[in-house]
């Protein structure tokens, strides 16, 4: 299971809505307890692809986020991105680019703007498993 504070969820949602029609993206950090991951901080990064179908994290912002994680004793847990026009599930490209099988991949669907959907996935090869995200 993976937990996310409601305030951090709100940051993701607002960043994703602000970046429409493009995909928004960022990193997540926190702590690991056994099989559970607890997100404590969400990083809002720039999608340098400026696309509504895929994203690339800004490398400079990514480095600054990693430095901040280290300074604050947080573990890198994975990344997040939005799907402006599709469901909250990994696309074939998402699976192909999921190089770290230890990472969590959060996907926020804004397909129904009135009802955004956020899920977290463990991706290994072509297999994507919903991790059971709880927003607290």
């Amino acid at each position: 299971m993976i937990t996310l504070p409601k305030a951090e969820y709100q940051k993701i949602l607002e960043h994703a809505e602000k970046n429409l029609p493009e995909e928004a993206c960022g990193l997540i950090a926190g702590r690991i307890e056994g099989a559970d991951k607890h997100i404590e901080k969400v990083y809002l990064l720039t999608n340098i692809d400026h696309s509504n179908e895929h994203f690339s994290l800004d490398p400079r912002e990514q480095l600054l986020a990693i430095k901040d994680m280290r300074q604050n004793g947080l573990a890198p847990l994975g990344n997040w991105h939005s799907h402006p026009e599709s469901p909250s599930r990994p696309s074939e490209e998402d699976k192909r680019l999921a190089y770290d099988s230890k990472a969590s991949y959060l996907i926020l669907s804004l397909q129904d703007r009135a009802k955004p959907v956020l899920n977290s996935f463990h991706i290994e090869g072509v297999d994507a498993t919903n991790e059971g995200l709880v927003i607290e």
Side-chain angles (χ1 to χ4, degrees):
M1 182 173 62
I2 186 162
T3 60
L4 174 68
K6 192 168 189 92
E8 295 300 294
Y9 165 74
Q10 206 58 43
K11 284 171 50 178
I12 290 174
L13 182 60
E14 289 170 9
H15 188 67
E17 288 174 336
K18 185 179 86 172
N19 282 278
L20 286 171
E22 298 175 2
E23 285 192 2
C25 57
L27 297 174
I28 56 173
R31 57 191 164 80
I32 300 170
E33 290 179 352
D36 296 333
K37 295 179 182 178
H38 304 281
I39 300 169
E40 295 180 8
K41 188 166 184 179
V42 167
Y43 295 86
L44 309 175
L45 278 59
T46 302
N47 175 0
I48 59 173
D49 291 342
H50 300 290
S51 169
N52 67 336
E53 295 179 344
H54 52 89
F55 73 98
S56 293
L57 301 170
D58 180 300
R60 186 180 152 283
E61 293 175 354
Q62 190 172 5
L63 181 60
L64 291 172
I66 296 297
K67 284 182 178 180
D68 184 80
M69 288 176 205
R70 287 184 182 145
Q71 289 173 347
N72 290 292
L74 300 173
L77 299 178
N79 67 50
W80 70 270
H81 72 280
S82 62
H83 281 183
E85 301 159 5
S86 58
S88 175
R89 64 175 177 248
S91 66
E92 291 307 311
E93 181 174 335
D94 292 337
K95 291 177 190 176
R96 187 172 50 80
L97 296 174
Y99 297 114
D100 186 353
S101 63
K102 294 183 190 95
S104 291
Y105 297 90
L106 274 63
I107 301 173
L108 174 69
S109 172
L110 296 173
Q111 189 174 20
D112 180 347
R113 294 281 306 280
K115 295 180 184 172
V117 176
L118 180 65
N119 287 303
S120 181
F121 297 91
H122 170 84
I123 303 174
E124 209 161 334
V126 296
D127 297 323
T129 307
N130 191 314
E131 293 184 303
L133 175 69
V134 176
I135 299 171
E136 304 177 316

